[in-house]
Amino acid sequence: MLELRLVQGSLLKKVLDAIKDLVNDANFDCSASGFSLQAMDSSHVALVALLLRSEGFEHYRCDRSLSMGMNLNNMAKMLKCAGNDDIITIKGDDGSDTVTFMFESPTQDKISDFEMKLMDIDSEHLGIPEAEYHAIVRMPSAEFARICKDLSSIGDTVVISVTKEGVKFSTRGDIGAANIVCRQNTTVDKPEDATVIEMNEPVSLTFALRYLNSFTKASPLSNSVTISLSSELPVVVEYKIAEMGYIRFYLAPKIEEEDEEAKS
Amino acid sequence: MLELRLVQGSLLKKVLDAIKDLVNDANFDCSASGFSLQAMDSSHVALVALLLRSEGFEHYRCDRSLSMGMNLNNMAKMLKCAGNDDIITIKGDDGSDTVTFMFESPTQDKISDFEMKLMDIDSEHLGIPEAEYHAIVRMPSAEFARICKDLSSIGDTVVISVTKEGVKFSTRGDIGAANIVCRQNTTVDKPEDATVIEMNEPVSLTFALRYLNSFTKASPLSNSVTISLSSELPVVVEYKIAEMGYIRFYLAPKIEEEDEEAKS
Amino acid sequence: MLELRLVQGSLLKKVLDAIKDLVNDANFDCSASGFSLQAMDSSHVALVALLLRSEGFEHYRCDRSLSMGMNLNNMAKMLKCAGNDDIITIKGDDGSDTVTFMFESPTQDKISDFEMKLMDIDSEHLGIPEAEYHAIVRMPSAEFARICKDLSSIGDTVVISVTKEGVKFSTRGDIGAANIVCRQNTTVDKPEDATVIEMNEPVSLTFALRYLNSFTKASPLSNSVTISLSSELPVVVEYKIAEMGYIRFYLAPKIEEEDEEAKS
């Protein structure tokens, strides 16, 4: 039996909004330690990893590890019916082919039960080893989202270059070229407004803006985003979920040195 | 001669927004007692009845009862041109084939006249007898609108069931099923936030969500909605218009007991 | 060399939003006195004239007069990437086939360079003589925009008639007719809320609403608009740009007295 009660139900709504456009169907894995998901996007280019730790739930009962295959669009449709202040409880049973989302309004005057059919989904769980990164950039999530959106109006890919002074986002397209430089800045009123750069060696990598733009749908979950870059590894774009866990997006850099030379 | 001056002109704008998607053309009936309309929706399933009593107008002159056929979309287009704080005056003449809407801005610096062609519309006026209902639910209009919209993302019909404890809205569709229960609740700060149930006997009826969603377009007219249910009668969904009258929507329940049994 | 630094960068964003739907490609002319543009709309019916005087820039360096052909849609795309509080600097070189827009965030933590390709555009500069007008109406720009939009839902053209008492906007279409009268009103709290009429002789002219609606996209630049009318001249619709200059739109009246007679 499974019963996970999340007082701040809007978190789960935001999680679904963050991943439903990237991933169609996925298994949610429940264990004693938490509620998690790992899934490739539908074009098998990007990887999403979600963790909501059990401690973050008001009540967390999971008698036996359980994997529940869900269509994320249908799940998002149901969660849209929860009020932003509602408490959400996820209920499941071992043998059952359904999961139930219960929404309680703050005054307890309105109680909703949404029952969704589960799916059988084949999936392999990839082990993601902890890694050393050449550079880690933490910046306001709204700023990162704005930059990815702005550059998309000019080009299709972005080169992210990190030096000690700052991080540069560059693109090029038919109508011209653009460079946006964000300087390291830690003297801010609110810590989440800071742009902080930890760098072991300079790095410059190219990514498809389409995917980065998808990742930024997680911005409502956290005021800051952490971008971990290394020339031999996929970038990790991480949004922390306060006191509960995270959403991490992984994306391999584009190898296009020849193209770059031809262009320049 | 007809001259109806409505200080709170935004009321008339809201009335048109509430009914223009349901009804294309309709006769407005003016008499000494008020300005009213009764019309079937274009698929002849639902009935709308509007009453704006003469006492609610600042000035009300109607020398002779008059029926004016109007295209509600065109009328709504013209009323959209009135400011929200404008005074609206409806002017007509016995022989004329036009009606004039005059809008005066609060400062009287801007005066607009919109003249619309009238139409000949055949219509029979149905007598709607006062009836006894098994159950009458009064609830916040925004809550009712939210529930109808939410359930529409799951199914096409809703079962409304009333017991002494509360009212339950249920639906079922391809992706799953949903139940929303609103409890009776009269201990609220504002009377319009109350959910009040008057019940003579329990009732459970099925309706097409498409029509209920149309009805909820009247929500801006009133903070609360009254739903009157009886197994032998169409449901009445009523929005009071402060100090002037009401909009009432009538819709026959669906008879689908066999379907329900097959499903369950 | 060209370097124009505009502290209130949002002005330039608003200028582009005001003209990009009317004009596709145009030459911006830079001289010691200012940054200006004159262009016909793509159907060669309306004329736009923009002036941003050099005194309005924080820093204005223009060694030699320069004409830069730009695609306004691409330019607007790039300016959209500037924050509303950003400082915008326009940079160019005599021989170069590109222009650079630099955006600096208020805190200087984010610096963006957008480089756009220039185009060769044939254009003749029309001399527009100062003229005497029969009537000049100054009114709130939001009110003028609202009137043009409202009348467009009824008809395609508007007759603007000015008398000492006020200005009347009239239209006629399939669903009916509309007249909106704005009275002269100078006793207002804020000067920009005034409607002021200077009239030498009464005038009544017909214009295509499509173009007037395009012109009103400049409303965010100024709280008031000045409409100068004369029976032998194109109307001038002018939006002042505070302390810098103006956008003026010119549109020839429609000659349709026969049509008017046939209709009435």
Side-chain angles (χ1 to χ4, degrees), chain B:
Chain B
M1 192 191 152
L2 179 81
E3 201 171 294
L4 319 182
R5 184 177 161 93
L6 183 62
V7 173
Q8 205 183 335
S10 60
L11 272 187
L12 200 60
K13 290 166 66 95
K14 289 178 191 169
V15 163
L16 263 286
D17 285 341
I19 59 181
K20 74 177 198 311
D21 292 339
L22 207 59
V23 179
N24 293 335
D25 304 316
N27 284 317
F28 281 87
D29 299 309
C30 304
S31 71
S33 62
F35 188 68
S36 65
L37 168 149
Q38 195 197 74
M40 297 296 289
D41 83 290
S42 40
S43 54
H44 283 258
V45 172
L47 180 79
V48 186
L50 163 75
L51 173 65
L52 299 176
R53 276 185 289 267
S54 54
E55 306 92 81
F57 291 83
E58 193 207 27
H59 172 75
Y60 191 97
R61 177 175 172 187
C62 176
D63 298 346
R64 218 170 71 91
S65 288
L66 199 65
S67 186
M68 297 187 292
M70 305 200 198
N71 175 292
L72 298 195
N73 257 307
N74 292 346
M75 184 177 173
K77 268 188 200 171
M78 291 192 167
L79 293 180
K80 258 208 175 72
C81 302
N84 282 328
D85 300 324
D86 283 5
I87 298 167
I88 297 183
T89 305
I90 303 171
K91 294 178 185 178
D93 274 307
D94 276 23
S96 173
D97 63 346
T98 62
V99 62
T100 296
F101 304 106
M102 186 175 80
F103 313 141
E104 298 164 70
S105 70
T107 58
Q108 297 287 327
D109 289 330
K110 182 180 171 191
I111 311 283
S112 310
D113 284 292
F114 282 73
E115 189 185 276
M116 189 173 79
K117 289 174 191 153
L118 294 176
M119 315 168 65
D120 272 323
I121 300 169
D122 281 334
S123 70
E124 335 161 45
H125 199 89
L126 304 176
I128 303 168
E130 285 292 313
E132 288 278 307
Y133 287 91
H134 292 162
I136 298 178
V137 177
R138 181 161 65 79
M139 63 189 295
S141 60
E143 189 65 89
F144 179 62
R146 173 81 201 256
I147 289 169
C148 291
K149 181 170 154 283
D150 282 349
L151 294 185
S152 302
S153 66
I154 312 293
D156 296 326
T157 59
V158 59
V159 181
I160 305 182
S161 314
V162 184
T163 61
K164 277 213 182 318
E165 285 72 37
V167 51
K168 183 167 82 172
F169 302 88
S170 310
T171 193
R172 179 174 290 279
D174 290 341
I175 69 168
N179 293 300
I180 300 176
V181 176
C182 296
R183 295 187 195 158
Q184 159 132 290
N185 174 14
T186 55
T187 58
V188 288
D189 290 348
K190 296 184 225 154
E192 65 257 35
D193 289 342
T195 297
V196 182
I197 293 165
E198 288 173 42
M199 199 194 77
N200 297 316
E201 56 182 281
V203 64
S204 179
L205 296 164
T206 305
F207 301 98
L209 278 165
R210 192 164 93 74
Y211 290 100
L212 296 186
N213 270 312
S214 259
F215 302 167
T216 62
K217 298 219 166 114
S219 304
L221 280 165
S222 178
N223 287 322
S224 65
V225 60
T226 305
I227 305 157
S228 304
L229 297 144
S230 195
S231 44
E232 297 96 41
L233 289 169
V235 63
V236 188
V237 178
E238 174 175 327
Y239 295 86
K240 289 237 183 295
I241 301 171
E243 290 157 48
M244 292 209 69
Y246 55 77
I247 291 191
R248 291 182 187 147
F249 300 98
Y250 297 82
L251 177 68
K254 293 199 129 187
I255 313 298
E256 46 172 9
E257 277 148 44
E258 294 136 86
D259 295 7
E260 288 292 298
E261 273 165 28
K263 269 188 195 162
S264 58

Side-chain angles (χ1 to χ4, degrees), chain A residues 229-264:
Chain A
L229 297 145
S230 195
S231 45
E232 299 96 40
L233 290 169
V235 63
V236 189
V237 178
E238 174 175 326
Y239 296 85
K240 290 237 184 296
I241 302 171
E243 290 158 48
M244 291 211 68
Y246 55 77
I247 291 191
R248 290 183 188 147
F249 299 96
Y250 297 83
L251 177 67
K254 293 200 129 187
I255 312 299
E256 47 171 9
E257 278 148 45
E258 294 135 85
D259 294 6
E260 286 292 300
E261 273 165 29
K263 269 189 195 161
S264 58

